[in-house]
Amino acid sequence: MVISRANSFGSFLDSLRRVMGRQGAKNRVDPFRLLNILERSGPLPVAELLGQSGMSFADFVDSLRIVIDAGLVTVDERATADLVGLTANGEQVSRLAS
């Protein structure tokens, strides 16, 4: 099953604002980093994306949740390892953010 929660870019920003406000200056959550990695490499298994992100597990989960909820990535659970890939909206946001 492929998971995509295609909401608006506004919901992405709301999620990002909520997480950043909760973590304050120590914020390590960076959903843009995930988008940039996926733009460069194409779809990746979740574990490999975590390794390339350099984030702690908790920060990675928060970042991944934000981009899934915003409809910027899909998670293909049919693959041997869950593959995370950009949606068309994710590709656009990644280009704008870089």
Side-chain angles (χ1 to χ4, degrees), residues 3-84:
I3 300 171
S4 174
R5 297 185 187 135
N7 294 331
S8 69
F9 185 65
S11 65
F12 167 71
L13 293 176
D14 287 342
S15 297
L16 185 58
R17 190 176 314 123
R18 227 181 1 264
V19 170
M20 292 179 105
R22 190 172 66 223
Q23 294 186 352
K26 294 189 284 186
N27 182 26
R28 300 268 329 201
V29 174
D30 188 357
F32 293 111
R33 186 181 314 168
L34 299 184
L35 296 178
N36 290 333
I37 292 168
L38 291 169
E39 181 181 30
R40 284 192 321 268
S41 66
L44 290 172
V46 172
E48 191 172 332
L49 182 58
L50 169 61
Q52 288 191 28
S53 75
M55 295 180 202
S56 71
F57 182 75
D59 291 338
F60 174 78
V61 168
D62 284 343
S63 295
L64 187 58
R65 185 174 297 126
I66 289 169
V67 294
I68 289 172
D69 289 348
L72 302 177
V73 300
T74 58
V75 180
D76 186 351
E77 296 176 333
R78 297 174 297 184
T80 306
D82 292 351
L83 284 178
V84 181

